[in-house]
Amino acid sequence: MAGRFITLEGIEGAGKSTAARFVREWLSARGLTVCLTREPGGTPLAERVRQLVLDRQGEAITPVTETLLMFAARGLHVQNLIRPALARGEWVVCDRFTDATRAYQGAGRGVSLALIDQLASAVQEGLQPDCTLLLDLPVAAGLERVRMRSGSVPSDRFEEEPAQFFERVRAAYLDIARAAPARVRIIDASRPLEAVQEQIARALEALCSGTA
Ligand code: Z5A
């Protein structure tokens, strides 16, 4: 079976990293070779861009510059990791991709979607996820999970944002899902872990059998 490109999206604390590990195990158990990665980051140079863009102590970054940095990291990631892995027939599982830019920089920070689409087209050259798992849950629940995990001190520039910012991000993700129902599967991430994993397994079954 040829490699596929799966992305995980959602607000802070939705459970994407936990879900990404589950997806890797589920696919590996079926004999598929999995490349688990994340954005921003995924290659040595892209991880350095990640440090720059997430650093709370760094100098001010305008929304457009933040968008350019996300796409600079994505360009490295697509060229040096994602495309080569897909060409080897691997399944690439990526914690966030361009939907995150639409949701965070577009809806969250007010960057024009036309600019984001233009950059996406230049950097991705036609590459799109085959399947996106959108882990959806109320903002308060996501922020509470992050607080339980890491305490009340923000660990990056996004964690400093107010709840209204994440409400705009969540709404944008749901709009993206409504506009692309064949690609984006909404997972109710407010459920207990086992129930979340059952929904993900159903989405993966559908993808593997070619019905998603
Ligand atoms: N960003 C952007 O602005 N534009 C872009 O284009 C891209 C990214 C690509 C990356 O930060 C930041 O970059 C991100 C958007 C921005 N910032 N924000 N917000 P990151 O990678 O450090 O942070 P994150 O992506 O938001 O991930 P996170 O905070 O680590 O959350 P998560 O991966 O979704 O959740 P988790 O770590 O899997 O789970 C959180 C906790 O909940 C943990 O203790 C779990 O054990 C627990 N959990 C998970 N599932 C459940 C269920 N079902 N029930 C109960 N508890 C659960």
Side-chain angles (χ1 to χ4, degrees), residues 11-18 39-40 50 54 70 74 96-97 100-101 104-105 145-146 149 156 158 166 189 191-193 196:
I11 59 164
E12 183 95 355
K16 296 173 303 300
S17 313
T18 308
E39 287 211 350
R50 176 189 176 93
L54 296 186
M70 293 297 175
R74 184 161 301 133
R96 297 193 183 281
F97 195 62
T101 317
Y104 281 80
Q105 280 66 52
R145 282 186 192 170
V146 173
R149 184 191 57 189
D156 65 42
F158 292 94
F166 293 104
R191 310 275 314 277
L193 194 54
V196 170

PDB file of all heavy atoms in Angstrom, residues 11-18 39-40 50 54 70 74 96-97 100-101 104-105 145-146 149 156 158 166 189 191-193 196, ligand 1:
ATOM      1  N   ILE A  11      -7.145  22.638  18.983  1.00  0.00           N
ATOM      2  CA  ILE A  11      -6.631  23.687  19.864  1.00  0.00           C
ATOM      3  C   ILE A  11      -5.659  23.087  20.872  1.00  0.00           C
ATOM      4  O   ILE A  11      -5.540  21.858  21.003  1.00  0.00           O
ATOM      5  CB  ILE A  11      -7.781  24.415  20.613  1.00  0.00           C
ATOM      6  CG1 ILE A  11      -8.595  23.420  21.451  1.00  0.00           C
ATOM      7  CG2 ILE A  11      -8.660  25.195  19.645  1.00  0.00           C
ATOM      8  CD1 ILE A  11      -9.464  24.087  22.494  1.00  0.00           C
ATOM      9  N   GLU A  12      -5.005  23.972  21.553  1.00  0.00           N
ATOM     10  CA  GLU A  12      -4.108  23.641  22.670  1.00  0.00           C
ATOM     11  C   GLU A  12      -4.758  22.615  23.614  1.00  0.00           C
ATOM     12  O   GLU A  12      -5.897  22.804  24.019  1.00  0.00           O
ATOM     13  CB  GLU A  12      -3.910  24.972  23.413  1.00  0.00           C
ATOM     14  CG  GLU A  12      -2.985  24.936  24.552  1.00  0.00           C
ATOM     15  CD  GLU A  12      -1.614  25.367  24.126  1.00  0.00           C
ATOM     16  OE1 GLU A  12      -1.383  25.600  22.936  1.00  0.00           O
ATOM     17  OE2 GLU A  12      -0.772  25.431  25.016  1.00  0.00           O
ATOM     18  N   GLY A  13      -4.033  21.554  23.919  1.00  0.00           N
ATOM     19  CA  GLY A  13      -4.528  20.588  24.902  1.00  0.00           C
ATOM     20  C   GLY A  13      -5.600  19.645  24.393  1.00  0.00           C
ATOM     21  O   GLY A  13      -6.180  18.883  25.172  1.00  0.00           O
ATOM     22  N   ALA A  14      -5.869  19.663  23.087  1.00  0.00           N
ATOM     23  CA  ALA A  14      -6.932  18.803  22.553  1.00  0.00           C
ATOM     24  C   ALA A  14      -6.555  17.327  22.611  1.00  0.00           C
ATOM     25  O   ALA A  14      -7.419  16.453  22.561  1.00  0.00           O
ATOM     26  CB  ALA A  14      -7.254  19.199  21.112  1.00  0.00           C
ATOM     27  N   GLY A  15      -5.250  17.051  22.692  1.00  0.00           N
ATOM     28  CA  GLY A  15      -4.805  15.660  22.754  1.00  0.00           C
ATOM     29  C   GLY A  15      -4.157  15.197  21.458  1.00  0.00           C
ATOM     30  O   GLY A  15      -4.084  13.991  21.194  1.00  0.00           O
ATOM     31  N   LYS A  16      -3.653  16.127  20.652  1.00  0.00           N
ATOM     32  CA  LYS A  16      -3.065  15.758  19.348  1.00  0.00           C
ATOM     33  C   LYS A  16      -1.834  14.869  19.492  1.00  0.00           C
ATOM     34  O   LYS A  16      -1.695  13.894  18.778  1.00  0.00           O
ATOM     35  CB  LYS A  16      -2.651  17.020  18.566  1.00  0.00           C
ATOM     36  CG  LYS A  16      -3.806  17.905  18.184  1.00  0.00           C
ATOM     37  CD  LYS A  16      -3.316  19.190  17.582  1.00  0.00           C
ATOM     38  CE  LYS A  16      -2.390  19.941  18.509  1.00  0.00           C
ATOM     39  NZ  LYS A  16      -2.953  20.328  19.812  1.00  0.00           N
ATOM     40  N   SER A  17      -0.939  15.257  20.422  1.00  0.00           N
ATOM     41  CA  SER A  17       0.300  14.471  20.553  1.00  0.00           C
ATOM     42  C   SER A  17      -0.028  13.059  21.040  1.00  0.00           C
ATOM     43  O   SER A  17       0.543  12.079  20.543  1.00  0.00           O
ATOM     44  CB  SER A  17       1.266  15.150  21.538  1.00  0.00           C
ATOM     45  OG  SER A  17       1.357  16.518  21.240  1.00  0.00           O
ATOM     46  N   THR A  18      -0.948  12.958  21.982  1.00  0.00           N
ATOM     47  CA  THR A  18      -1.376  11.642  22.478  1.00  0.00           C
ATOM     48  C   THR A  18      -1.998  10.843  21.330  1.00  0.00           C
ATOM     49  O   THR A  18      -1.698   9.658  21.136  1.00  0.00           O
ATOM     50  CB  THR A  18      -2.419  11.830  23.612  1.00  0.00           C
ATOM     51  OG1 THR A  18      -1.886  12.733  24.582  1.00  0.00           O
ATOM     52  CG2 THR A  18      -2.781  10.516  24.269  1.00  0.00           C
ATOM     53  N   GLU A  39       4.759  19.970  13.469  1.00  0.00           N
ATOM     54  CA  GLU A  39       5.027  21.331  12.984  1.00  0.00           C
ATOM     55  C   GLU A  39       4.686  22.343  14.071  1.00  0.00           C
ATOM     56  O   GLU A  39       3.766  22.088  14.857  1.00  0.00           O
ATOM     57  CB  GLU A  39       4.183  21.614  11.743  1.00  0.00           C
ATOM     58  CG  GLU A  39       4.687  20.866  10.533  1.00  0.00           C
ATOM     59  CD  GLU A  39       4.444  21.617   9.225  1.00  0.00           C
ATOM     60  OE1 GLU A  39       3.721  22.628   9.224  1.00  0.00           O
ATOM     61  OE2 GLU A  39       4.991  21.183   8.211  1.00  0.00           O
ATOM     62  N   PRO A  40       5.322  23.525  14.109  1.00  0.00           N
ATOM     63  CA  PRO A  40       6.509  23.771  13.310  1.00  0.00           C
ATOM     64  C   PRO A  40       7.643  22.879  13.783  1.00  0.00           C
ATOM     65  O   PRO A  40       7.775  22.622  14.972  1.00  0.00           O
ATOM     66  CB  PRO A  40       6.814  25.261  13.553  1.00  0.00           C
ATOM     67  CG  PRO A  40       6.126  25.589  14.846  1.00  0.00           C
ATOM     68  CD  PRO A  40       4.975  24.662  14.974  1.00  0.00           C
ATOM     69  N   ARG A  50      11.258  26.636  14.856  1.00  0.00           N
ATOM     70  CA  ARG A  50      10.243  26.455  15.902  1.00  0.00           C
ATOM     71  C   ARG A  50      10.643  27.184  17.185  1.00  0.00           C
ATOM     72  O   ARG A  50       9.830  27.880  17.792  1.00  0.00           O
ATOM     73  CB  ARG A  50      10.063  24.957  16.185  1.00  0.00           C
ATOM     74  CG  ARG A  50       9.087  24.654  17.324  1.00  0.00           C
ATOM     75  CD  ARG A  50       9.123  23.172  17.712  1.00  0.00           C
ATOM     76  NE  ARG A  50       8.269  22.934  18.860  1.00  0.00           N
ATOM     77  CZ  ARG A  50       6.988  22.565  18.789  1.00  0.00           C
ATOM     78  NH1 ARG A  50       6.418  22.379  17.627  1.00  0.00           N
ATOM     79  NH2 ARG A  50       6.272  22.395  19.877  1.00  0.00           N
ATOM     80  N   LEU A  54       8.289  30.158  18.766  1.00  0.00           N
ATOM     81  CA  LEU A  54       7.528  29.890  20.001  1.00  0.00           C
ATOM     82  C   LEU A  54       8.108  30.596  21.228  1.00  0.00           C
ATOM     83  O   LEU A  54       7.430  30.722  22.253  1.00  0.00           O
ATOM     84  CB  LEU A  54       7.456  28.378  20.284  1.00  0.00           C
ATOM     85  CG  LEU A  54       6.713  27.524  19.256  1.00  0.00           C
ATOM     86  CD1 LEU A  54       6.600  26.086  19.737  1.00  0.00           C
ATOM     87  CD2 LEU A  54       5.321  28.076  18.953  1.00  0.00           C
ATOM     88  N   MET A  70       6.293  30.214   9.939  1.00  0.00           N
ATOM     89  CA  MET A  70       5.626  28.904   9.891  1.00  0.00           C
ATOM     90  C   MET A  70       5.860  28.253   8.530  1.00  0.00           C
ATOM     91  O   MET A  70       6.145  27.053   8.434  1.00  0.00           O
ATOM     92  CB  MET A  70       4.116  29.050  10.138  1.00  0.00           C
ATOM     93  CG  MET A  70       3.738  29.493  11.537  1.00  0.00           C
ATOM     94  SD  MET A  70       4.239  28.284  12.797  1.00  0.00           S
ATOM     95  CE  MET A  70       3.773  29.183  14.289  1.00  0.00           C
ATOM     96  N   ARG A  74       7.844  24.980   7.322  1.00  0.00           N
ATOM     97  CA  ARG A  74       7.087  23.973   6.537  1.00  0.00           C
ATOM     98  C   ARG A  74       7.817  23.629   5.246  1.00  0.00           C
ATOM     99  O   ARG A  74       7.823  22.465   4.824  1.00  0.00           O
ATOM    100  CB  ARG A  74       5.673  24.511   6.269  1.00  0.00           C
ATOM    101  CG  ARG A  74       4.758  23.537   5.555  1.00  0.00           C
ATOM    102  CD  ARG A  74       3.296  23.952   5.742  1.00  0.00           C
ATOM    103  NE  ARG A  74       2.955  23.985   7.147  1.00  0.00           N
ATOM    104  CZ  ARG A  74       2.309  24.986   7.757  1.00  0.00           C
ATOM    105  NH1 ARG A  74       1.887  26.025   7.059  1.00  0.00           N
ATOM    106  NH2 ARG A  74       2.058  24.934   9.049  1.00  0.00           N
ATOM    107  N   ARG A  96      -0.034  18.761  13.475  1.00  0.00           N
ATOM    108  CA  ARG A  96      -0.281  20.094  12.893  1.00  0.00           C
ATOM    109  C   ARG A  96       0.350  20.225  11.503  1.00  0.00           C
ATOM    110  O   ARG A  96       1.434  19.723  11.228  1.00  0.00           O
ATOM    111  CB  ARG A  96       0.249  21.229  13.767  1.00  0.00           C
ATOM    112  CG  ARG A  96      -0.407  21.338  15.134  1.00  0.00           C
ATOM    113  CD  ARG A  96      -0.043  22.678  15.769  1.00  0.00           C
ATOM    114  NE  ARG A  96      -0.568  22.848  17.108  1.00  0.00           N
ATOM    115  CZ  ARG A  96      -1.822  23.186  17.398  1.00  0.00           C
ATOM    116  NH1 ARG A  96      -2.691  23.370  16.430  1.00  0.00           N
ATOM    117  NH2 ARG A  96      -2.204  23.330  18.649  1.00  0.00           N
ATOM    118  N   PHE A  97      -0.377  21.000  10.655  1.00  0.00           N
ATOM    119  CA  PHE A  97       0.123  21.346   9.309  1.00  0.00           C
ATOM    120  C   PHE A  97      -0.570  22.656   8.930  1.00  0.00           C
ATOM    121  O   PHE A  97      -0.878  23.475   9.808  1.00  0.00           O
ATOM    122  CB  PHE A  97      -0.157  20.176   8.336  1.00  0.00           C
ATOM    123  CG  PHE A  97       0.593  20.230   7.038  1.00  0.00           C
ATOM    124  CD1 PHE A  97       1.985  20.175   7.005  1.00  0.00           C
ATOM    125  CD2 PHE A  97      -0.084  20.344   5.821  1.00  0.00           C
ATOM    126  CE1 PHE A  97       2.682  20.224   5.804  1.00  0.00           C
ATOM    127  CE2 PHE A  97       0.598  20.386   4.619  1.00  0.00           C
ATOM    128  CZ  PHE A  97       1.980  20.328   4.611  1.00  0.00           C
ATOM    129  N   ALA A 100      -3.384  24.555  10.677  1.00  0.00           N
ATOM    130  CA  ALA A 100      -3.026  25.315  11.887  1.00  0.00           C
ATOM    131  C   ALA A 100      -2.709  26.769  11.538  1.00  0.00           C
ATOM    132  O   ALA A 100      -3.039  27.689  12.287  1.00  0.00           O
ATOM    133  CB  ALA A 100      -1.836  24.663  12.596  1.00  0.00           C
ATOM    134  N   THR A 101      -2.078  26.981  10.402  1.00  0.00           N
ATOM    135  CA  THR A 101      -1.775  28.362   9.989  1.00  0.00           C
ATOM    136  C   THR A 101      -3.076  29.099   9.676  1.00  0.00           C
ATOM    137  O   THR A 101      -3.240  30.272  10.030  1.00  0.00           O
ATOM    138  CB  THR A 101      -0.855  28.373   8.751  1.00  0.00           C
ATOM    139  OG1 THR A 101       0.173  27.393   8.936  1.00  0.00           O
ATOM    140  CG2 THR A 101      -0.222  29.732   8.551  1.00  0.00           C
ATOM    141  N   TYR A 104      -4.708  29.544  13.346  1.00  0.00           N
ATOM    142  CA  TYR A 104      -4.001  30.402  14.318  1.00  0.00           C
ATOM    143  C   TYR A 104      -3.625  31.754  13.729  1.00  0.00           C
ATOM    144  O   TYR A 104      -3.937  32.801  14.300  1.00  0.00           O
ATOM    145  CB  TYR A 104      -2.741  29.697  14.846  1.00  0.00           C
ATOM    146  CG  TYR A 104      -3.041  28.684  15.915  1.00  0.00           C
ATOM    147  CD1 TYR A 104      -3.497  27.411  15.581  1.00  0.00           C
ATOM    148  CD2 TYR A 104      -2.890  28.975  17.259  1.00  0.00           C
ATOM    149  CE1 TYR A 104      -3.790  26.474  16.551  1.00  0.00           C
ATOM    150  CE2 TYR A 104      -3.178  28.037  18.244  1.00  0.00           C
ATOM    151  CZ  TYR A 104      -3.625  26.795  17.884  1.00  0.00           C
ATOM    152  OH  TYR A 104      -3.928  25.871  18.856  1.00  0.00           O
ATOM    153  N   GLN A 105      -2.922  31.745  12.568  1.00  0.00           N
ATOM    154  CA  GLN A 105      -2.493  33.029  12.009  1.00  0.00           C
ATOM    155  C   GLN A 105      -3.681  33.697  11.283  1.00  0.00           C
ATOM    156  O   GLN A 105      -3.838  34.914  11.354  1.00  0.00           O
ATOM    157  CB  GLN A 105      -1.305  32.841  11.055  1.00  0.00           C
ATOM    158  CG  GLN A 105       0.038  32.683  11.759  1.00  0.00           C
ATOM    159  CD  GLN A 105       0.152  31.410  12.585  1.00  0.00           C
ATOM    160  OE1 GLN A 105      -0.118  30.318  12.078  1.00  0.00           O
ATOM    161  NE2 GLN A 105       0.532  31.544  13.839  1.00  0.00           N
ATOM    162  N   ARG A 145      -6.636  21.060  30.539  1.00  0.00           N
ATOM    163  CA  ARG A 145      -5.713  19.918  30.379  1.00  0.00           C
ATOM    164  C   ARG A 145      -4.266  20.407  30.335  1.00  0.00           C
ATOM    165  O   ARG A 145      -3.375  19.783  30.915  1.00  0.00           O
ATOM    166  CB  ARG A 145      -6.025  19.162  29.092  1.00  0.00           C
ATOM    167  CG  ARG A 145      -7.239  18.265  29.218  1.00  0.00           C
ATOM    168  CD  ARG A 145      -7.380  17.444  27.950  1.00  0.00           C
ATOM    169  NE  ARG A 145      -8.670  16.781  27.905  1.00  0.00           N
ATOM    170  CZ  ARG A 145      -9.151  16.161  26.837  1.00  0.00           C
ATOM    171  NH1 ARG A 145      -8.442  16.142  25.716  1.00  0.00           N
ATOM    172  NH2 ARG A 145     -10.325  15.568  26.869  1.00  0.00           N
ATOM    173  N   VAL A 146      -4.050  21.523  29.640  1.00  0.00           N
ATOM    174  CA  VAL A 146      -2.685  22.053  29.559  1.00  0.00           C
ATOM    175  C   VAL A 146      -2.224  22.512  30.935  1.00  0.00           C
ATOM    176  O   VAL A 146      -1.082  22.273  31.341  1.00  0.00           O
ATOM    177  CB  VAL A 146      -2.612  23.226  28.541  1.00  0.00           C
ATOM    178  CG1 VAL A 146      -1.250  23.899  28.580  1.00  0.00           C
ATOM    179  CG2 VAL A 146      -2.900  22.722  27.139  1.00  0.00           C
ATOM    180  N   ARG A 149      -1.272  19.671  33.019  1.00  0.00           N
ATOM    181  CA  ARG A 149      -0.025  19.045  32.566  1.00  0.00           C
ATOM    182  C   ARG A 149       1.183  19.895  32.926  1.00  0.00           C
ATOM    183  O   ARG A 149       2.182  19.406  33.413  1.00  0.00           O
ATOM    184  CB  ARG A 149      -0.081  18.830  31.050  1.00  0.00           C
ATOM    185  CG  ARG A 149       1.127  18.095  30.486  1.00  0.00           C
ATOM    186  CD  ARG A 149       1.138  18.150  28.973  1.00  0.00           C
ATOM    187  NE  ARG A 149       1.127  19.517  28.487  1.00  0.00           N
ATOM    188  CZ  ARG A 149       0.964  19.875  27.217  1.00  0.00           C
ATOM    189  NH1 ARG A 149       0.751  18.962  26.307  1.00  0.00           N
ATOM    190  NH2 ARG A 149       0.977  21.130  26.861  1.00  0.00           N
ATOM    191  N   ASP A 156       4.874  28.821  25.912  1.00  0.00           N
ATOM    192  CA  ASP A 156       5.247  29.441  24.638  1.00  0.00           C
ATOM    193  C   ASP A 156       4.360  30.654  24.395  1.00  0.00           C
ATOM    194  O   ASP A 156       3.466  30.957  25.187  1.00  0.00           O
ATOM    195  CB  ASP A 156       5.199  28.430  23.479  1.00  0.00           C
ATOM    196  CG  ASP A 156       3.791  27.908  23.200  1.00  0.00           C
ATOM    197  OD1 ASP A 156       2.839  28.718  23.224  1.00  0.00           O
ATOM    198  OD2 ASP A 156       3.643  26.702  22.949  1.00  0.00           O
ATOM    199  N   PHE A 158       1.966  31.222  22.368  1.00  0.00           N
ATOM    200  CA  PHE A 158       0.553  30.990  22.144  1.00  0.00           C
ATOM    201  C   PHE A 158      -0.200  30.764  23.451  1.00  0.00           C
ATOM    202  O   PHE A 158      -1.354  31.151  23.593  1.00  0.00           O
ATOM    203  CB  PHE A 158       0.355  29.820  21.173  1.00  0.00           C
ATOM    204  CG  PHE A 158       0.826  30.161  19.794  1.00  0.00           C
ATOM    205  CD1 PHE A 158       2.105  29.843  19.389  1.00  0.00           C
ATOM    206  CD2 PHE A 158       0.002  30.852  18.924  1.00  0.00           C
ATOM    207  CE1 PHE A 158       2.551  30.191  18.124  1.00  0.00           C
ATOM    208  CE2 PHE A 158       0.445  31.206  17.660  1.00  0.00           C
ATOM    209  CZ  PHE A 158       1.727  30.876  17.258  1.00  0.00           C
ATOM    210  N   PHE A 166      -8.462  31.400  21.369  1.00  0.00           N
ATOM    211  CA  PHE A 166      -8.633  29.971  21.079  1.00  0.00           C
ATOM    212  C   PHE A 166     -10.066  29.666  20.607  1.00  0.00           C
ATOM    213  O   PHE A 166     -10.282  28.697  19.885  1.00  0.00           O
ATOM    214  CB  PHE A 166      -8.244  29.133  22.310  1.00  0.00           C
ATOM    215  CG  PHE A 166      -6.773  29.217  22.603  1.00  0.00           C
ATOM    216  CD1 PHE A 166      -6.294  29.993  23.648  1.00  0.00           C
ATOM    217  CD2 PHE A 166      -5.847  28.557  21.798  1.00  0.00           C
ATOM    218  CE1 PHE A 166      -4.933  30.101  23.896  1.00  0.00           C
ATOM    219  CE2 PHE A 166      -4.489  28.663  22.034  1.00  0.00           C
ATOM    220  CZ  PHE A 166      -4.029  29.437  23.083  1.00  0.00           C
ATOM    221  N   ALA A 189     -12.991  15.153  21.108  1.00  0.00           N
ATOM    222  CA  ALA A 189     -11.845  14.974  22.002  1.00  0.00           C
ATOM    223  C   ALA A 189     -12.180  15.247  23.457  1.00  0.00           C
ATOM    224  O   ALA A 189     -11.307  15.133  24.317  1.00  0.00           O
ATOM    225  CB  ALA A 189     -10.701  15.889  21.546  1.00  0.00           C
ATOM    226  N   ARG A 191     -14.219  13.404  25.056  1.00  0.00           N
ATOM    227  CA  ARG A 191     -14.532  12.083  25.626  1.00  0.00           C
ATOM    228  C   ARG A 191     -13.297  11.488  26.306  1.00  0.00           C
ATOM    229  O   ARG A 191     -12.177  11.899  26.040  1.00  0.00           O
ATOM    230  CB  ARG A 191     -14.987  11.128  24.502  1.00  0.00           C
ATOM    231  CG  ARG A 191     -16.069  11.672  23.585  1.00  0.00           C
ATOM    232  CD  ARG A 191     -17.471  11.470  24.106  1.00  0.00           C
ATOM    233  NE  ARG A 191     -17.726  10.136  24.612  1.00  0.00           N
ATOM    234  CZ  ARG A 191     -18.055   9.094  23.861  1.00  0.00           C
ATOM    235  NH1 ARG A 191     -18.148   9.231  22.541  1.00  0.00           N
ATOM    236  NH2 ARG A 191     -18.316   7.920  24.402  1.00  0.00           N
ATOM    237  N   PRO A 192     -13.479  10.459  27.146  1.00  0.00           N
ATOM    238  CA  PRO A 192     -12.322   9.781  27.744  1.00  0.00           C
ATOM    239  C   PRO A 192     -11.414   9.200  26.652  1.00  0.00           C
ATOM    240  O   PRO A 192     -11.868   8.926  25.539  1.00  0.00           O
ATOM    241  CB  PRO A 192     -12.956   8.659  28.577  1.00  0.00           C
ATOM    242  CG  PRO A 192     -14.370   9.073  28.779  1.00  0.00           C
ATOM    243  CD  PRO A 192     -14.764   9.918  27.600  1.00  0.00           C
ATOM    244  N   LEU A 193     -10.140   9.024  27.005  1.00  0.00           N
ATOM    245  CA  LEU A 193      -9.125   8.620  26.028  1.00  0.00           C
ATOM    246  C   LEU A 193      -9.552   7.420  25.178  1.00  0.00           C
ATOM    247  O   LEU A 193      -9.386   7.416  23.951  1.00  0.00           O
ATOM    248  CB  LEU A 193      -7.824   8.318  26.776  1.00  0.00           C
ATOM    249  CG  LEU A 193      -6.573   8.209  25.927  1.00  0.00           C
ATOM    250  CD1 LEU A 193      -6.373   9.431  25.050  1.00  0.00           C
ATOM    251  CD2 LEU A 193      -5.363   8.009  26.829  1.00  0.00           C
ATOM    252  N   VAL A 196     -11.986   8.379  22.546  1.00  0.00           N
ATOM    253  CA  VAL A 196     -11.307   9.158  21.497  1.00  0.00           C
ATOM    254  C   VAL A 196     -10.581   8.196  20.559  1.00  0.00           C
ATOM    255  O   VAL A 196     -10.652   8.307  19.328  1.00  0.00           O
ATOM    256  CB  VAL A 196     -10.328  10.173  22.136  1.00  0.00           C
ATOM    257  CG1 VAL A 196      -9.445  10.819  21.082  1.00  0.00           C
ATOM    258  CG2 VAL A 196     -11.101  11.237  22.917  1.00  0.00           C
TER     259      VAL A 196
HETATM  260  N1  Z5A B   1       1.194  26.901  15.331  1.00  0.00           N
HETATM  261  C1  Z5A B   1       0.733  27.979  14.609  1.00  0.00           C
HETATM  262  O1  Z5A B   1       0.361  29.002  15.182  1.00  0.00           O
HETATM  263  N2  Z5A B   1       0.693  27.905  13.248  1.00  0.00           N
HETATM  264  C2  Z5A B   1       1.102  26.816  12.568  1.00  0.00           C
HETATM  265  O2  Z5A B   1       1.071  26.795  11.331  1.00  0.00           O
HETATM  266  C3  Z5A B   1       1.578  25.690  13.340  1.00  0.00           C
HETATM  267  C4  Z5A B   1       1.606  25.768  14.717  1.00  0.00           C
HETATM  268  C5  Z5A B   1       2.036  24.457  12.621  1.00  0.00           C
HETATM  269  C6  Z5A B   1       2.845  24.521  18.722  1.00  0.00           C
HETATM  270  O3  Z5A B   1       2.891  24.282  20.058  1.00  0.00           O
HETATM  271  C7  Z5A B   1       2.203  25.897  18.579  1.00  0.00           C
HETATM  272  O4  Z5A B   1       2.436  26.349  17.259  1.00  0.00           O
HETATM  273  C8  Z5A B   1       0.739  25.800  18.771  1.00  0.00           C
HETATM  274  C9  Z5A B   1       0.108  26.426  17.514  1.00  0.00           C
HETATM  275  C10 Z5A B   1       1.274  27.018  16.802  1.00  0.00           C
HETATM  276  N3  Z5A B   1       0.417  26.528  19.922  1.00  0.00           N
HETATM  277  N4  Z5A B   1      -0.677  26.509  20.468  1.00  0.00           N
HETATM  278  N5  Z5A B   1      -1.627  26.540  20.997  1.00  0.00           N
HETATM  279  P1  Z5A B   1       2.983  22.840  20.690  1.00  0.00           P
HETATM  280  O5  Z5A B   1       3.245  21.793  19.680  1.00  0.00           O
HETATM  281  O6  Z5A B   1       3.948  22.957  21.821  1.00  0.00           O
HETATM  282  O7  Z5A B   1       1.573  22.789  21.362  1.00  0.00           O
HETATM  283  P2  Z5A B   1       0.226  22.186  20.879  1.00  0.00           P
HETATM  284  O8  Z5A B   1       0.293  21.807  19.437  1.00  0.00           O
HETATM  285  O9  Z5A B   1      -0.878  23.085  21.242  1.00  0.00           O
HETATM  286  O10 Z5A B   1       0.169  20.859  21.682  1.00  0.00           O
HETATM  287  P3  Z5A B   1      -0.099  20.589  23.203  1.00  0.00           P
HETATM  288  O11 Z5A B   1      -0.320  21.771  24.052  1.00  0.00           O
HETATM  289  O12 Z5A B   1       1.033  19.714  23.617  1.00  0.00           O
HETATM  290  O13 Z5A B   1      -1.461  19.835  23.182  1.00  0.00           O
HETATM  291  P4  Z5A B   1      -1.865  18.470  22.490  1.00  0.00           P
HETATM  292  O14 Z5A B   1      -0.722  17.823  21.782  1.00  0.00           O
HETATM  293  O15 Z5A B   1      -3.082  18.693  21.702  1.00  0.00           O
HETATM  294  O16 Z5A B   1      -2.290  17.580  23.734  1.00  0.00           O
HETATM  295  P5  Z5A B   1      -1.555  16.341  24.461  1.00  0.00           P
HETATM  296  O17 Z5A B   1      -0.195  16.724  24.926  1.00  0.00           O
HETATM  297  O18 Z5A B   1      -1.714  15.110  23.685  1.00  0.00           O
HETATM  298  O19 Z5A B   1      -2.557  16.222  25.707  1.00  0.00           O
HETATM  299  C11 Z5A B   1      -2.654  17.276  26.664  1.00  0.00           C
HETATM  300  C12 Z5A B   1      -2.935  16.648  28.049  1.00  0.00           C
HETATM  301  O20 Z5A B   1      -4.247  16.090  28.034  1.00  0.00           O
HETATM  302  C13 Z5A B   1      -1.973  15.520  28.404  1.00  0.00           C
HETATM  303  O21 Z5A B   1      -1.720  15.579  29.769  1.00  0.00           O
HETATM  304  C14 Z5A B   1      -2.760  14.269  28.024  1.00  0.00           C
HETATM  305  O22 Z5A B   1      -2.382  13.149  28.804  1.00  0.00           O
HETATM  306  C15 Z5A B   1      -4.174  14.689  28.325  1.00  0.00           C
HETATM  307  N6  Z5A B   1      -5.190  14.049  27.465  1.00  0.00           N
HETATM  308  C16 Z5A B   1      -5.090  13.739  26.156  1.00  0.00           C
HETATM  309  N7  Z5A B   1      -6.230  13.179  25.710  1.00  0.00           N
HETATM  310  C17 Z5A B   1      -7.083  13.138  26.771  1.00  0.00           C
HETATM  311  C18 Z5A B   1      -8.429  12.677  26.943  1.00  0.00           C
HETATM  312  N8  Z5A B   1      -9.148  12.160  25.941  1.00  0.00           N
HETATM  313  N9  Z5A B   1      -8.982  12.811  28.164  1.00  0.00           N
HETATM  314  C19 Z5A B   1      -8.282  13.362  29.188  1.00  0.00           C
HETATM  315  N10 Z5A B   1      -6.999  13.804  29.098  1.00  0.00           N
HETATM  316  C20 Z5A B   1      -6.409  13.699  27.891  1.00  0.00           C
END
